[in-house]
Amino acid sequence: MLLAYVDESYDRDFYFIAAAIAPQEAWDNVEKAVADIQSRTHLEHGVPADAELHGHEIMGGAGEWAPLRGKHREAAGVYAAALSAARTAGVEFIFRGVDIGRLNARYRYPDQPHSVVLGHLLERIDQRAGQRQETDPVIVIADEIATQEEHRKQFEAYQLTGTPGYRSTTLPRISSPINFASSRLSPGLQIADLAAYLHHRRNTVVEPHPAGARTVRRLSGILEQTTVHNLTWTP
């Protein structure tokens, strides 16, 4: 059975959602690896033992990861360790995005960027399950958000009438409903967050310092090894 953890990262110009997909046994291995990373970072740098792996906070030395502020090499090491653990476990990544400016320019009454990207992402998750010849439906888990009931209804509508566009599908390989969970309690959602944040950064930020650019390239190299789909729609 496949589990797909999804998380988003966006700004005023682009909206991205990442999916991290693997069987349950792979996620069990990821959970052990994340616990080890948390324990090691706690002992070495004083980060809380249960600190959530959160891309923006790790790279910026903020929140629970404030003890790593200014320790760029160590922060990149934590990030790389988590992505490498996911790669070793066999986690695959799917990325979808949309150019918000182009979306608004093309359509008089455009759909919300999240709705657009979520539909595209679910299509590719469903497709990947078919390619892997999975017999059980994929379980999709997203981070808890204020509008989660709206997204549940959107997904149910897709299963009744199909997703919009030329790739329309009723998503037969995805289990209903979409599930929502706390990212603090879910290593899978934390991995999806790391992937989404890095993907957003590498696509929208011009790194001002060579060391920062090298770090992003290094981390992207790990991510790309198990990325099975990556597309940003420019309407």
Side-chain angles (χ1 to χ4, degrees):
M1 177 179 64
L2 287 179
L3 303 180
Y5 292 95
V6 303
D7 199 22
E8 60 197 30
S9 185
Y10 57 90
D11 56 28
R12 59 183 294 178
D13 299 314
F14 289 92
Y15 204 109
F16 301 101
I17 306 181
I21 308 171
Q24 178 65 65
E25 56 268 25
W27 288 118
D28 291 341
N29 292 332
V30 169
E31 183 173 0
K32 295 174 184 176
V34 166
D36 180 65
I37 292 168
Q38 291 169 321
S39 176
R40 188 168 65 250
T41 310
H42 170 65
L43 292 174
E44 294 177 358
H45 302 289
V47 172
D50 62 345
E52 181 178 349
L53 299 185
H54 192 280
H56 175 73
E57 291 188 355
I58 292 173
M59 296 300 282
E64 294 180 310
W65 295 89
L68 292 186
R69 184 177 297 126
K71 300 179 180 179
H72 305 299
R73 180 178 299 178
E74 290 82 355
V78 170
Y79 218 119
L83 294 180
S84 296
R87 177 191 60 193
T88 299
V91 177
E92 296 180 337
F93 295 96
I94 292 175
F95 299 99
R96 292 293 308 204
V98 68
D99 182 320
I100 297 172
R102 291 282 297 271
L103 178 70
N104 292 336
R106 177 169 177 177
Y107 297 101
R108 185 175 182 182
Y109 301 107
D111 291 332
Q112 290 296 313
H114 183 279
S115 296
V116 172
V117 180
L118 179 62
H120 292 168
L121 186 81
L122 292 173
E123 288 174 347
R124 296 298 177 169
I125 293 173
D126 185 85
Q127 180 187 53
R128 186 58 183 159
Q131 292 170 341
R132 292 176 59 114
Q133 299 182 337
E134 294 292 329
T135 56
D136 295 323
V138 184
I139 295 177
V140 175
I141 305 107
D143 197 3
E144 292 175 329
I145 53 177
T147 55
Q148 62 192 48
E149 191 58 36
E150 176 184 338
H151 300 317
R152 274 203 184 102
K153 292 179 180 178
Q154 177 185 341
F155 173 64
E156 291 170 358
Y158 289 159
Q159 291 203 310
L160 286 174
T161 62
T163 56
Y166 75 97
R167 295 182 59 88
S168 183
T169 171
T170 57
L171 307 171
R173 300 178 187 89
I174 298 180
S175 177
S176 181
I178 292 180
N179 299 272
F180 292 88
S182 167
S183 58
R184 171 166 290 280
L185 303 177
S186 172
L189 285 175
Q190 294 175 42
I191 294 296
D193 174 275
L194 296 181
Y197 174 78
L198 176 61
H199 185 66
H200 185 184
R201 182 165 172 170
R202 67 183 179 177
N203 279 280
T204 65
V205 176
V206 177
E207 299 294 336
H209 302 294
R214 286 195 298 270
T215 294
V216 171
R217 287 197 300 270
R218 174 192 172 199
L219 297 177
S220 295
I222 300 171
L223 200 59
E224 287 166 2
Q225 291 180 43
T226 52
T227 294
V228 295
H229 179 78
N230 174 12
L231 184 65
T232 298
W233 184 38
T234 53

PDB file of all heavy atoms in Angstrom, residues 121-149:
ATOM      1  N   LEU A 121      -1.597  17.504  -9.221  1.00  0.00           N
ATOM      2  CA  LEU A 121      -0.787  16.593  -8.407  1.00  0.00           C
ATOM      3  C   LEU A 121      -1.493  15.259  -8.211  1.00  0.00           C
ATOM      4  O   LEU A 121      -0.883  14.182  -8.345  1.00  0.00           O
ATOM      5  CB  LEU A 121      -0.496  17.236  -7.055  1.00  0.00           C
ATOM      6  CG  LEU A 121       0.456  16.442  -6.156  1.00  0.00           C
ATOM      7  CD1 LEU A 121       1.894  16.703  -6.561  1.00  0.00           C
ATOM      8  CD2 LEU A 121       0.251  16.812  -4.684  1.00  0.00           C
ATOM      9  N   LEU A 122      -2.780  15.303  -7.901  1.00  0.00           N
ATOM     10  CA  LEU A 122      -3.527  14.059  -7.692  1.00  0.00           C
ATOM     11  C   LEU A 122      -3.557  13.212  -8.958  1.00  0.00           C
ATOM     12  O   LEU A 122      -3.479  11.974  -8.889  1.00  0.00           O
ATOM     13  CB  LEU A 122      -4.944  14.378  -7.232  1.00  0.00           C
ATOM     14  CG  LEU A 122      -5.075  15.004  -5.829  1.00  0.00           C
ATOM     15  CD1 LEU A 122      -6.511  15.428  -5.561  1.00  0.00           C
ATOM     16  CD2 LEU A 122      -4.594  14.029  -4.757  1.00  0.00           C
ATOM     17  N   GLU A 123      -3.653  13.855 -10.116  1.00  0.00           N
ATOM     18  CA  GLU A 123      -3.599  13.116 -11.384  1.00  0.00           C
ATOM     19  C   GLU A 123      -2.300  12.336 -11.492  1.00  0.00           C
ATOM     20  O   GLU A 123      -2.297  11.169 -11.919  1.00  0.00           O
ATOM     21  CB  GLU A 123      -3.729  14.073 -12.564  1.00  0.00           C
ATOM     22  CG  GLU A 123      -5.115  14.664 -12.748  1.00  0.00           C
ATOM     23  CD  GLU A 123      -5.154  15.706 -13.844  1.00  0.00           C
ATOM     24  OE1 GLU A 123      -4.076  16.158 -14.304  1.00  0.00           O
ATOM     25  OE2 GLU A 123      -6.274  16.098 -14.239  1.00  0.00           O
ATOM     26  N   ARG A 124      -1.188  12.962 -11.124  1.00  0.00           N
ATOM     27  CA  ARG A 124       0.113  12.308 -11.263  1.00  0.00           C
ATOM     28  C   ARG A 124       0.333  11.249 -10.195  1.00  0.00           C
ATOM     29  O   ARG A 124       1.003  10.244 -10.446  1.00  0.00           O
ATOM     30  CB  ARG A 124       1.217  13.364 -11.203  1.00  0.00           C
ATOM     31  CG  ARG A 124       1.169  14.347 -12.354  1.00  0.00           C
ATOM     32  CD  ARG A 124       1.363  13.657 -13.700  1.00  0.00           C
ATOM     33  NE  ARG A 124       1.237  14.597 -14.809  1.00  0.00           N
ATOM     34  CZ  ARG A 124       1.558  14.309 -16.072  1.00  0.00           C
ATOM     35  NH1 ARG A 124       2.015  13.121 -16.372  1.00  0.00           N
ATOM     36  NH2 ARG A 124       1.402  15.219 -17.015  1.00  0.00           N
ATOM     37  N   ILE A 125      -0.221  11.447  -8.995  1.00  0.00           N
ATOM     38  CA  ILE A 125      -0.149  10.394  -7.980  1.00  0.00           C
ATOM     39  C   ILE A 125      -0.912   9.165  -8.459  1.00  0.00           C
ATOM     40  O   ILE A 125      -0.433   8.027  -8.356  1.00  0.00           O
ATOM     41  CB  ILE A 125      -0.717  10.894  -6.636  1.00  0.00           C
ATOM     42  CG1 ILE A 125       0.188  11.980  -6.047  1.00  0.00           C
ATOM     43  CG2 ILE A 125      -0.879   9.737  -5.646  1.00  0.00           C
ATOM     44  CD1 ILE A 125      -0.376  12.648  -4.803  1.00  0.00           C
ATOM     45  N   ASP A 126      -2.104   9.391  -8.990  1.00  0.00           N
ATOM     46  CA  ASP A 126      -2.912   8.293  -9.520  1.00  0.00           C
ATOM     47  C   ASP A 126      -2.165   7.580 -10.652  1.00  0.00           C
ATOM     48  O   ASP A 126      -2.129   6.341 -10.702  1.00  0.00           O
ATOM     49  CB  ASP A 126      -4.248   8.849 -10.023  1.00  0.00           C
ATOM     50  CG  ASP A 126      -5.196   7.775 -10.487  1.00  0.00           C
ATOM     51  OD1 ASP A 126      -5.918   7.214  -9.628  1.00  0.00           O
ATOM     52  OD2 ASP A 126      -5.217   7.479 -11.705  1.00  0.00           O
ATOM     53  N   GLN A 127      -1.569   8.343 -11.536  1.00  0.00           N
ATOM     54  CA  GLN A 127      -0.808   7.760 -12.645  1.00  0.00           C
ATOM     55  C   GLN A 127       0.371   6.929 -12.136  1.00  0.00           C
ATOM     56  O   GLN A 127       0.639   5.832 -12.635  1.00  0.00           O
ATOM     57  CB  GLN A 127      -0.299   8.868 -13.561  1.00  0.00           C
ATOM     58  CG  GLN A 127       0.512   8.366 -14.748  1.00  0.00           C
ATOM     59  CD  GLN A 127       1.141   9.510 -15.516  1.00  0.00           C
ATOM     60  OE1 GLN A 127       1.826  10.360 -14.951  1.00  0.00           O
ATOM     61  NE2 GLN A 127       0.891   9.551 -16.821  1.00  0.00           N
ATOM     62  N   ARG A 128       1.082   7.465 -11.139  1.00  0.00           N
ATOM     63  CA  ARG A 128       2.246   6.736 -10.625  1.00  0.00           C
ATOM     64  C   ARG A 128       1.835   5.424  -9.981  1.00  0.00           C
ATOM     65  O   ARG A 128       2.533   4.408 -10.118  1.00  0.00           O
ATOM     66  CB  ARG A 128       2.992   7.611  -9.611  1.00  0.00           C
ATOM     67  CG  ARG A 128       4.311   7.001  -9.129  1.00  0.00           C
ATOM     68  CD  ARG A 128       5.230   6.731 -10.287  1.00  0.00           C
ATOM     69  NE  ARG A 128       6.470   6.074  -9.871  1.00  0.00           N
ATOM     70  CZ  ARG A 128       7.244   5.383 -10.699  1.00  0.00           C
ATOM     71  NH1 ARG A 128       6.908   5.268 -11.984  1.00  0.00           N
ATOM     72  NH2 ARG A 128       8.342   4.816 -10.253  1.00  0.00           N
ATOM     73  N   ALA A 129       0.719   5.411  -9.284  1.00  0.00           N
ATOM     74  CA  ALA A 129       0.228   4.163  -8.696  1.00  0.00           C
ATOM     75  C   ALA A 129      -0.050   3.137  -9.782  1.00  0.00           C
ATOM     76  O   ALA A 129       0.236   1.939  -9.626  1.00  0.00           O
ATOM     77  CB  ALA A 129      -1.026   4.428  -7.880  1.00  0.00           C
ATOM     78  N   GLY A 130      -0.594   3.580 -10.927  1.00  0.00           N
ATOM     79  CA  GLY A 130      -0.830   2.673 -12.040  1.00  0.00           C
ATOM     80  C   GLY A 130       0.461   2.145 -12.617  1.00  0.00           C
ATOM     81  O   GLY A 130       0.573   0.948 -12.948  1.00  0.00           O
ATOM     82  N   GLN A 131       1.458   3.005 -12.746  1.00  0.00           N
ATOM     83  CA  GLN A 131       2.751   2.582 -13.272  1.00  0.00           C
ATOM     84  C   GLN A 131       3.415   1.549 -12.368  1.00  0.00           C
ATOM     85  O   GLN A 131       4.106   0.647 -12.845  1.00  0.00           O
ATOM     86  CB  GLN A 131       3.665   3.796 -13.450  1.00  0.00           C
ATOM     87  CG  GLN A 131       3.211   4.748 -14.535  1.00  0.00           C
ATOM     88  CD  GLN A 131       3.981   6.060 -14.523  1.00  0.00           C
ATOM     89  OE1 GLN A 131       4.611   6.425 -13.519  1.00  0.00           O
ATOM     90  NE2 GLN A 131       3.940   6.796 -15.622  1.00  0.00           N
ATOM     91  N   ARG A 132       3.196   1.685 -11.069  1.00  0.00           N
ATOM     92  CA  ARG A 132       3.775   0.739 -10.100  1.00  0.00           C
ATOM     93  C   ARG A 132       2.917  -0.515  -9.945  1.00  0.00           C
ATOM     94  O   ARG A 132       3.258  -1.420  -9.191  1.00  0.00           O
ATOM     95  CB  ARG A 132       3.932   1.420  -8.742  1.00  0.00           C
ATOM     96  CG  ARG A 132       4.982   2.521  -8.719  1.00  0.00           C
ATOM     97  CD  ARG A 132       5.003   3.206  -7.370  1.00  0.00           C
ATOM     98  NE  ARG A 132       5.289   2.272  -6.290  1.00  0.00           N
ATOM     99  CZ  ARG A 132       6.391   2.288  -5.540  1.00  0.00           C
ATOM    100  NH1 ARG A 132       7.307   3.222  -5.756  1.00  0.00           N
ATOM    101  NH2 ARG A 132       6.581   1.423  -4.573  1.00  0.00           N
ATOM    102  N   GLN A 133       1.773  -0.536 -10.646  1.00  0.00           N
ATOM    103  CA  GLN A 133       0.844  -1.680 -10.614  1.00  0.00           C
ATOM    104  C   GLN A 133       0.401  -2.002  -9.189  1.00  0.00           C
ATOM    105  O   GLN A 133       0.335  -3.167  -8.775  1.00  0.00           O
ATOM    106  CB  GLN A 133       1.484  -2.897 -11.278  1.00  0.00           C
ATOM    107  CG  GLN A 133       1.829  -2.659 -12.740  1.00  0.00           C
ATOM    108  CD  GLN A 133       2.425  -3.886 -13.421  1.00  0.00           C
ATOM    109  OE1 GLN A 133       2.982  -4.775 -12.781  1.00  0.00           O
ATOM    110  NE2 GLN A 133       2.283  -3.944 -14.733  1.00  0.00           N
ATOM    111  N   GLU A 134       0.077  -0.943  -8.459  1.00  0.00           N
ATOM    112  CA  GLU A 134      -0.409  -1.121  -7.092  1.00  0.00           C
ATOM    113  C   GLU A 134      -1.823  -1.698  -7.108  1.00  0.00           C
ATOM    114  O   GLU A 134      -2.665  -1.288  -7.897  1.00  0.00           O
ATOM    115  CB  GLU A 134      -0.403   0.213  -6.356  1.00  0.00           C
ATOM    116  CG  GLU A 134       0.972   0.795  -6.126  1.00  0.00           C
ATOM    117  CD  GLU A 134       1.788  -0.011  -5.136  1.00  0.00           C
ATOM    118  OE1 GLU A 134       1.187  -0.612  -4.219  1.00  0.00           O
ATOM    119  OE2 GLU A 134       3.023  -0.039  -5.276  1.00  0.00           O
ATOM    120  N   THR A 135      -2.083  -2.631  -6.213  1.00  0.00           N
ATOM    121  CA  THR A 135      -3.409  -3.241  -6.135  1.00  0.00           C
ATOM    122  C   THR A 135      -4.311  -2.534  -5.129  1.00  0.00           C
ATOM    123  O   THR A 135      -5.538  -2.597  -5.245  1.00  0.00           O
ATOM    124  CB  THR A 135      -3.293  -4.724  -5.758  1.00  0.00           C
ATOM    125  OG1 THR A 135      -2.572  -4.849  -4.520  1.00  0.00           O
ATOM    126  CG2 THR A 135      -2.548  -5.490  -6.851  1.00  0.00           C
ATOM    127  N   ASP A 136      -3.708  -1.863  -4.150  1.00  0.00           N
ATOM    128  CA  ASP A 136      -4.488  -1.123  -3.152  1.00  0.00           C
ATOM    129  C   ASP A 136      -4.478   0.363  -3.484  1.00  0.00           C
ATOM    130  O   ASP A 136      -3.489   0.882  -4.014  1.00  0.00           O
ATOM    131  CB  ASP A 136      -3.907  -1.328  -1.751  1.00  0.00           C
ATOM    132  CG  ASP A 136      -4.023  -2.761  -1.277  1.00  0.00           C
ATOM    133  OD1 ASP A 136      -5.050  -3.395  -1.599  1.00  0.00           O
ATOM    134  OD2 ASP A 136      -3.088  -3.243  -0.607  1.00  0.00           O
ATOM    135  N   PRO A 137      -5.561   1.077  -3.182  1.00  0.00           N
ATOM    136  CA  PRO A 137      -5.585   2.523  -3.437  1.00  0.00           C
ATOM    137  C   PRO A 137      -4.517   3.258  -2.638  1.00  0.00           C
ATOM    138  O   PRO A 137      -4.162   2.852  -1.525  1.00  0.00           O
ATOM    139  CB  PRO A 137      -6.987   2.940  -2.988  1.00  0.00           C
ATOM    140  CG  PRO A 137      -7.800   1.691  -2.981  1.00  0.00           C
ATOM    141  CD  PRO A 137      -6.849   0.588  -2.640  1.00  0.00           C
ATOM    142  N   VAL A 138      -4.012   4.343  -3.204  1.00  0.00           N
ATOM    143  CA  VAL A 138      -3.037   5.191  -2.516  1.00  0.00           C
ATOM    144  C   VAL A 138      -3.749   6.014  -1.451  1.00  0.00           C
ATOM    145  O   VAL A 138      -4.819   6.580  -1.706  1.00  0.00           O
ATOM    146  CB  VAL A 138      -2.354   6.156  -3.505  1.00  0.00           C
ATOM    147  CG1 VAL A 138      -1.273   6.972  -2.786  1.00  0.00           C
ATOM    148  CG2 VAL A 138      -1.775   5.404  -4.676  1.00  0.00           C
ATOM    149  N   ILE A 139      -3.166   6.092  -0.277  1.00  0.00           N
ATOM    150  CA  ILE A 139      -3.686   6.939   0.785  1.00  0.00           C
ATOM    151  C   ILE A 139      -2.931   8.266   0.743  1.00  0.00           C
ATOM    152  O   ILE A 139      -1.694   8.293   0.816  1.00  0.00           O
ATOM    153  CB  ILE A 139      -3.535   6.284   2.162  1.00  0.00           C
ATOM    154  CG1 ILE A 139      -4.400   5.016   2.236  1.00  0.00           C
ATOM    155  CG2 ILE A 139      -3.922   7.259   3.279  1.00  0.00           C
ATOM    156  CD1 ILE A 139      -4.257   4.251   3.527  1.00  0.00           C
ATOM    157  N   VAL A 140      -3.655   9.365   0.592  1.00  0.00           N
ATOM    158  CA  VAL A 140      -3.061  10.699   0.525  1.00  0.00           C
ATOM    159  C   VAL A 140      -3.233  11.379   1.873  1.00  0.00           C
ATOM    160  O   VAL A 140      -4.344  11.446   2.410  1.00  0.00           O
ATOM    161  CB  VAL A 140      -3.706  11.536  -0.591  1.00  0.00           C
ATOM    162  CG1 VAL A 140      -3.159  12.972  -0.575  1.00  0.00           C
ATOM    163  CG2 VAL A 140      -3.459  10.896  -1.953  1.00  0.00           C
ATOM    164  N   ILE A 141      -2.120  11.891   2.411  1.00  0.00           N
ATOM    165  CA  ILE A 141      -2.134  12.581   3.697  1.00  0.00           C
ATOM    166  C   ILE A 141      -1.564  13.980   3.512  1.00  0.00           C
ATOM    167  O   ILE A 141      -0.443  14.133   2.998  1.00  0.00           O
ATOM    168  CB  ILE A 141      -1.328  11.837   4.769  1.00  0.00           C
ATOM    169  CG1 ILE A 141      -1.820  10.392   4.919  1.00  0.00           C
ATOM    170  CG2 ILE A 141      -1.393  12.564   6.107  1.00  0.00           C
ATOM    171  CD1 ILE A 141      -0.895   9.366   4.364  1.00  0.00           C
ATOM    172  N   ALA A 142      -2.311  14.996   3.920  1.00  0.00           N
ATOM    173  CA  ALA A 142      -1.866  16.379   3.808  1.00  0.00           C
ATOM    174  C   ALA A 142      -1.775  17.003   5.192  1.00  0.00           C
ATOM    175  O   ALA A 142      -2.372  16.520   6.158  1.00  0.00           O
ATOM    176  CB  ALA A 142      -2.841  17.181   2.941  1.00  0.00           C
ATOM    177  N   ASP A 143      -1.023  18.104   5.279  1.00  0.00           N
ATOM    178  CA  ASP A 143      -0.901  18.823   6.541  1.00  0.00           C
ATOM    179  C   ASP A 143      -2.236  19.467   6.900  1.00  0.00           C
ATOM    180  O   ASP A 143      -3.003  19.877   6.021  1.00  0.00           O
ATOM    181  CB  ASP A 143       0.176  19.901   6.403  1.00  0.00           C
ATOM    182  CG  ASP A 143       0.660  20.405   7.756  1.00  0.00           C
ATOM    183  OD1 ASP A 143       0.200  19.880   8.790  1.00  0.00           O
ATOM    184  OD2 ASP A 143       1.500  21.318   7.767  1.00  0.00           O
ATOM    185  N   GLU A 144      -2.517  19.546   8.183  1.00  0.00           N
ATOM    186  CA  GLU A 144      -3.759  20.171   8.644  1.00  0.00           C
ATOM    187  C   GLU A 144      -3.790  21.642   8.260  1.00  0.00           C
ATOM    188  O   GLU A 144      -2.835  22.378   8.524  1.00  0.00           O
ATOM    189  CB  GLU A 144      -3.875  20.036  10.163  1.00  0.00           C
ATOM    190  CG  GLU A 144      -4.078  18.616  10.635  1.00  0.00           C
ATOM    191  CD  GLU A 144      -4.077  18.489  12.138  1.00  0.00           C
ATOM    192  OE1 GLU A 144      -3.382  19.288  12.795  1.00  0.00           O
ATOM    193  OE2 GLU A 144      -4.764  17.591  12.655  1.00  0.00           O
ATOM    194  N   ILE A 145      -4.870  22.075   7.625  1.00  0.00           N
ATOM    195  CA  ILE A 145      -5.026  23.462   7.207  1.00  0.00           C
ATOM    196  C   ILE A 145      -6.454  23.906   7.490  1.00  0.00           C
ATOM    197  O   ILE A 145      -7.365  23.078   7.647  1.00  0.00           O
ATOM    198  CB  ILE A 145      -4.710  23.661   5.708  1.00  0.00           C
ATOM    199  CG1 ILE A 145      -5.536  22.683   4.852  1.00  0.00           C
ATOM    200  CG2 ILE A 145      -3.236  23.501   5.432  1.00  0.00           C
ATOM    201  CD1 ILE A 145      -5.341  22.873   3.365  1.00  0.00           C
ATOM    202  N   ALA A 146      -6.659  25.221   7.501  1.00  0.00           N
ATOM    203  CA  ALA A 146      -7.975  25.761   7.845  1.00  0.00           C
ATOM    204  C   ALA A 146      -9.035  25.389   6.812  1.00  0.00           C
ATOM    205  O   ALA A 146     -10.217  25.262   7.141  1.00  0.00           O
ATOM    206  CB  ALA A 146      -7.884  27.276   7.995  1.00  0.00           C
ATOM    207  N   THR A 147      -8.621  25.222   5.554  1.00  0.00           N
ATOM    208  CA  THR A 147      -9.579  24.966   4.472  1.00  0.00           C
ATOM    209  C   THR A 147      -9.613  23.496   4.067  1.00  0.00           C
ATOM    210  O   THR A 147     -10.000  23.165   2.953  1.00  0.00           O
ATOM    211  CB  THR A 147      -9.222  25.825   3.238  1.00  0.00           C
ATOM    212  OG1 THR A 147      -7.862  25.569   2.861  1.00  0.00           O
ATOM    213  CG2 THR A 147      -9.388  27.302   3.544  1.00  0.00           C
ATOM    214  N   GLN A 148      -9.246  22.595   4.980  1.00  0.00           N
ATOM    215  CA  GLN A 148      -9.137  21.191   4.588  1.00  0.00           C
ATOM    216  C   GLN A 148     -10.480  20.578   4.184  1.00  0.00           C
ATOM    217  O   GLN A 148     -10.521  19.711   3.296  1.00  0.00           O
ATOM    218  CB  GLN A 148      -8.498  20.378   5.706  1.00  0.00           C
ATOM    219  CG  GLN A 148      -9.251  20.338   7.011  1.00  0.00           C
ATOM    220  CD  GLN A 148      -8.383  19.752   8.129  1.00  0.00           C
ATOM    221  OE1 GLN A 148      -7.239  20.128   8.317  1.00  0.00           O
ATOM    222  NE2 GLN A 148      -8.956  18.817   8.880  1.00  0.00           N
ATOM    223  N   GLU A 149     -11.580  21.020   4.785  1.00  0.00           N
ATOM    224  CA  GLU A 149     -12.874  20.467   4.402  1.00  0.00           C
ATOM    225  C   GLU A 149     -13.205  20.831   2.955  1.00  0.00           C
ATOM    226  O   GLU A 149     -13.776  20.025   2.213  1.00  0.00           O
ATOM    227  CB  GLU A 149     -13.960  20.962   5.340  1.00  0.00           C
ATOM    228  CG  GLU A 149     -15.290  20.229   5.184  1.00  0.00           C
ATOM    229  CD  GLU A 149     -15.166  18.728   5.393  1.00  0.00           C
ATOM    230  OE1 GLU A 149     -14.372  18.300   6.247  1.00  0.00           O
ATOM    231  OE2 GLU A 149     -15.854  17.979   4.665  1.00  0.00           O
TER     232      GLU A 149
END
